[in-house]
Amino acid sequence: MNLFGFAGYSGSGKTTLIEQLIPRLVLAGLRVSLIKHAHHGFDIDRPGKDSYRHREAGASEVLVTSDLRWVLMHESRGEREPTLAEQLRRFSPCDLILVEGYKREAIPKLEVYRRANDRPLLYPADPNIVAIAADTAVEAPLPVLDLNDHDAIAAFVIRHVESS
């Protein structure tokens, strides 16, 4: 299972970049999955829906399924948060799992950098950053890609995955 991560401060454009890369990676013949770490409580369900009501009633897990998709919602209810490795075991077979968040994990990552965020680069402190995608010129001993050149970034990810 190949992993490739995206690191950057909030507002740097990680999600937007990944959204642009996925169709390019799929067009290149890869079966792509994604895991995103949320730092705050989140809910994909809506109050009033049956699945929401079942979870609120105390169900540990609720699986909602249809002919188009399925989702399993697991309520932690005080359990420790699973590690990235534990969560990855839940995936179906695929060629590549993109990882958004989990910035302290020892996986290859692309740093997404925007000058407007007025924050320092992450790469000097993270040896797992293999390249930087930036909206400005950056001096670094790593490949620096134009944040708006989605084709070049997708090609970089593909080359990196194929070489590892």
Side-chain angles (χ1 to χ4, degrees):
M1 183 177 316
N2 293 302
L3 302 176
F4 194 88
F6 295 82
Y9 295 102
S10 180
S12 63
K14 296 180 300 291
T15 299
T16 301
L17 175 60
I18 292 168
E19 180 182 20
Q20 293 297 316
L21 296 180
I22 290 172
R24 288 166 169 83
L25 299 170
V26 169
L27 191 62
L30 297 174
R31 182 174 175 153
V32 179
S33 295
L34 179 128
I35 183 168
K36 177 180 174 67
H37 184 264
H39 290 284
H40 310 290
F42 71 95
D43 202 335
I44 61 169
D45 215 353
R46 293 193 312 261
K49 291 303 210 175
D50 294 349
S51 53
Y52 185 93
R53 293 170 54 201
H54 295 144
R55 288 186 309 119
E56 287 296 305
S60 297
E61 292 186 326
V62 174
L63 190 137
V64 181
T65 186
S66 75
D67 61 334
L68 298 177
R69 71 187 54 87
W70 62 269
V71 63
L72 176 63
M73 292 176 280
H74 176 90
E75 293 297 316
S76 296
R77 304 200 195 281
E79 299 168 0
R80 72 166 177 76
E81 182 177 352
T83 65
L84 174 61
E86 289 168 337
Q87 295 292 35
L88 292 173
R89 288 194 287 270
R90 301 178 193 278
F91 276 93
S92 300
C94 63
D95 300 310
L96 174 63
I97 297 179
L98 302 178
V99 180
E100 183 176 350
Y102 291 99
K103 66 179 161 193
R104 290 180 180 80
E105 291 290 330
I107 61 171
K109 297 177 207 115
L110 175 80
E111 178 171 354
V112 179
Y113 178 79
R114 282 195 188 277
R115 180 192 300 185
N117 276 359
D118 200 30
R119 304 288 299 266
L121 286 164
L122 298 171
Y123 91 88
D126 186 345
N128 298 298
I129 292 175
V130 298
I132 300 167
D135 65 349
T136 188
V138 171
E139 289 295 321
L142 303 173
V144 177
L145 306 163
D146 179 344
L147 181 56
N148 297 308
D149 190 346
H150 304 132
D151 291 333
I153 296 170
F156 177 87
V157 171
I158 291 167
R159 280 193 312 274
H160 190 275
V161 168
E162 288 175 345
S163 70
S164 56

